[in-house]
Amino acid sequence: MGLFSKIKKAWVDYITWEMPDDDFFDALEESLILADMGMELSVGAVEELRLKVANNQLRGEEIKEALRDILRKKLEAGNTALDLSTRPSVVLVIGVNGVGKTTSIGKLAHRLKEQDGKKVLLCAADTFRAAAADQLEIWADRAGVDIVRQHEGADPGAVLFDALQAARARGSDVVLCDTAGRLHNKQNLMNELAKLRKIIDRECPDAAKETLLVLDATTGQNGLIQARQFKETAGLTGIILTKLDGTAKGGIVVAIARELSVPVKYVGLGEGLDDLQPFDAGEFVSALI
């Protein structure tokens, strides 16, 4: 459980696993809800555990392992690896302001370059927020990768077009595209995202494409609401969950995977370049419980 050792897990510390009576199951249900797993999912998981305990006379560590198994299965939402099978492959990164989107792009670029040997190009298509391109350029320098940018207020589609042309000319393996911190209820921004997708389809019709939504784990159930609405409009292929090293309790990971069938592909566990890690359900559940 090394990768996830920073996750706050005090929500299970007071559970007495040796006494699986009604009080135990009530306390466990409350703990799962407080861990941002949501009411319906928490109640269902505890009822499933209650049956397993009764049928198999489980105690102590056996109960913990049974709960881990239940939660692992609920986390099975598809392939957690990025599809980077073409040159270039294109990854749109979306999300509201403040969730760590630009930071996650920089960390992902570093990881793809250093660990996967990919030639990465960043596209600064967030031309709406002041200094967004400057921030992305700082991360490009830190990660040692190329960046394509224009002036503030430029057409995001034009920036993406230039980036795709540059990727082909330079032999880049992956284009990571930053987008405006769009609110999920702003239709004009959603229309802009659709425009970006059309440009990718037109310029790189055969490219492997990913659309990753960055969520702040500390927002709990609000993050689930964001994910639900973005999925309806953006065709998500995966989630990057940030700030799991802070006050987040982690249960939102299970809720997202279960309710939306969208896999969590990466998790942010700190501020360093190497603190974006591929998500591993087994290791994650073991760290929580």
Side-chain angles (χ1 to χ4, degrees):
M1 73 184 195
L3 292 181
F4 299 103
S5 60
K6 297 178 183 179
I7 295 173
K8 306 299 183 185
K9 48 187 176 179
W11 54 279
V12 296
D13 286 350
Y14 66 91
I15 300 292
T16 304
W17 299 90
E18 295 295 337
M19 299 177 62
D21 53 14
D22 287 342
D23 289 340
F24 163 81
F25 289 110
D26 288 344
L28 182 59
E29 184 178 296
E30 179 182 2
S31 296
L32 296 180
I33 293 171
L34 291 174
D36 294 328
M37 209 168 292
M39 175 71 75
E40 183 178 351
L41 185 56
S42 299
V43 171
V46 170
E47 283 303 308
E48 190 174 343
L49 179 65
R50 189 191 292 266
L51 288 174
K52 282 193 173 186
V53 170
N55 292 337
N56 299 286
Q57 298 297 304
L58 304 180
R59 290 294 184 272
E61 285 298 322
E62 294 174 329
I63 299 175
K64 286 186 180 182
E65 187 52 44
L67 181 58
R68 291 182 189 119
D69 184 60
I70 290 169
L71 297 182
R72 273 193 295 265
K73 289 178 180 177
K74 293 184 185 301
L75 280 166
E76 294 173 355
N79 188 2
T80 59
L82 289 181
D83 181 3
L84 304 176
S85 56
T86 63
R87 177 184 288 184
S89 299
V90 185
V91 181
L92 277 181
V93 184
I94 65 177
V96 301
N97 287 332
V99 296
K101 179 165 53 69
T102 305
T103 300
S104 295
I105 292 171
K107 292 177 181 179
L108 181 56
H110 172 73
R111 182 176 186 86
L112 292 176
K113 176 190 173 188
E114 295 300 323
Q115 299 197 22
D116 299 334
K118 299 291 187 182
K119 184 175 183 180
V120 181
L121 184 144
L122 303 188
C123 171
D126 181 358
T127 59
F128 179 76
R129 181 172 64 88
D134 293 338
Q135 183 185 4
L136 191 66
E137 187 161 14
I138 291 171
W139 278 101
D141 290 341
R142 291 183 67 185
V145 301
D146 292 338
I147 183 172
V148 170
R149 58 170 296 182
Q150 292 187 19
H151 59 85
E152 184 179 325
D155 177 15
V159 183
L160 177 58
F161 176 84
D162 287 350
L164 296 176
Q165 296 297 317
R168 282 199 291 259
R170 303 176 193 179
S172 300
D173 296 302
V174 187
V175 177
L176 300 181
C177 181
D178 192 12
T179 62
R182 58 199 76 246
L183 295 172
H184 48 270
N185 58 352
K186 297 292 186 181
Q187 190 58 46
N188 60 325
L189 293 177
M190 287 301 184
N191 290 341
E192 179 190 300
L193 178 60
K195 176 183 174 182
L196 295 180
R197 294 175 64 89
K198 287 181 181 178
I199 291 172
I200 296 170
D201 290 339
R202 185 187 70 218
E203 298 301 319
C204 300
D206 298 322
K209 306 174 187 69
E210 295 268 0
T211 302
L212 303 182
L213 173 63
V214 180
L215 291 177
D216 179 344
T218 63
T219 62
Q221 291 295 303
N222 285 334
L224 179 60
I225 293 171
Q226 287 179 31
R228 185 181 296 118
Q229 294 178 328
F230 271 111
K231 182 185 179 184
E232 292 174 357
T233 57
L236 301 181
T237 60
I239 302 289
I240 297 176
L241 198 64
T242 65
K243 306 180 187 179
L244 270 177
D245 57 317
T247 59
K249 303 176 186 72
I252 191 63
V253 176
V254 186
I256 289 170
R258 184 63 174 176
E259 293 193 29
L260 302 181
S261 296
V262 176
V264 176
K265 299 205 171 190
Y266 290 92
V267 291
L269 297 162
E271 296 300 321
L273 265 177
D274 296 314
D275 287 328
L276 188 74
Q277 301 289 344
F279 181 71
D280 182 282
E283 190 171 355
F284 178 77
V285 170
S286 294
L288 283 182
I289 302 170

